[in-house]
Amino acid sequence: MIRFKTLFLLILTVLSAVGSAQVKVRIFANQSPESAIFTVIEGIYEMKFSDGQILRIAKDEPVIIMKYNGRLAVKKRNTYGFICDSLLITGKTGNDSFSIRMNGSFHAKQLYSGDLQCFPDLGTLVFINICDVEKYISGVVMAEGGAGRNLEYFKTQAIIARTYMYKYFDKHNSDKYNVCDNTHCQAFNGLSSDTLLNEAALETRGIVILDKDSTLIISAFSSNCGGETASSEDVWLLKEPYLKSVADPYCHFSKNAAWQKSFSSTEWFNYLKKAGYTEVSKDLSVFNFLQKSRLTDYKSGSFIIPLRTIRTDLDLRSTFFSVYSTGDSIILKGRGYGHGVGLCQEGAMIMASKGFTYREIINFYYTGVFLSDIKNAVALP
Ligand SMILES: [Zn+2]
Ligand SMILES: [Zn+2]
């Protein structure tokens, strides 16, 4: 019964997203703003207050929105202020954009398109940007795509971001929006001004990655896999046939391909002791450990500890490392950066620069998937 209800809800939210091609993004989601300044950049905007009053905003008229006794106070230059419960600012030309800056924040003002909704909630202001899906996608790729600049690479990232957005479209359903603007969903710092990036989103409009059952995949990616991607069950205890380990010959010489970290023998010994190590030996070579291809556990004698535990505890770039003892220290020599599951961003950038298409790149990193329009996705829980 619960499964059926979830399935029904998912279909509804995905369909409504396709129909409107808009997404509701909560901006400043983890910053608890108490006031902000709204400025029209392009087009014509109108403010509609909760009591029904409507006011036009000109380009040179910044509007201050602030929290006031559990309600909103809104003030435009040279006019008296308004007190209301909620506010909707809508673009009227279809090509409208605005900037919004949180008061007292050091963040540069950010650029958005579409509409803006605002209401107070538990001591903070909620700002929801109602935005065209493809503009949102290019903004996400700008925030999360990494340093490469190549159309096929950007297309790959756009498809990954779109798949992720639709897969988790109902994550914030009870909060009156679809996604938030930080890494809880996907980072989004407003519109992208990069034309190549905007082109990538538009040219792949609506395309998502589906598994053999036509379900949206978990489009995981990391910065550099170290030459071998990780299987999802080894990292998240969640087995997905399309998130299977593949050997990656492309990322070996990229920026995040290798790392190294040293510990004194005492530091290393104390760490292992805390983790439950009880053996006694004066020979440091007992700690040596070789990882030619990805393993899941570190072993020293009969002591075993999951590599992902060590990665978290010692704040390491990856779990793909070997341990060498030398003199009085322990050296960890590692490969890659990130969890290693799914697409490898630096490998994908090299593939794109070698002339591979986004289809080939996606099919290389995700096993047995296919690309299709979002309307063909089956929303199974
Ligand atoms: Zn979120
Ligand atoms: Zn890689």
Side-chain angles (χ1 to χ4, degrees), residues 247-260:
D248 181 354
Y250 302 107
C251 62
H252 286 288
F253 301 105
S254 297
K255 187 170 151 250
N256 291 316
W259 57 268
Q260 190 167 316

Side-chain angles (χ1 to χ4, degrees), residues 177-215:
Y177 50 91
N178 305 119
V179 294
C180 67
D181 68 348
N182 57 65
T183 49
H184 170 261
C185 289
Q186 300 188 86
F188 174 66
N189 306 321
L191 295 180
S192 144
S193 52
D194 188 330
T195 48
L196 196 64
L197 228 158
N198 296 339
E199 196 183 324
L202 285 178
E203 283 186 18
T204 60
R205 180 185 282 272
I207 299 177
V208 291
I209 313 170
L210 304 179
D211 70 4
K212 60 175 182 15
D213 301 319
S214 296
T215 306

Side-chain angles (χ1 to χ4, degrees), residues 272 275-279 298-305:
L272 291 189
Y277 183 82
T278 51
E279 287 163 46
Y298 170 75
K299 286 183 188 138
S300 170
S302 61
F303 177 72
I304 296 177
I305 177 171

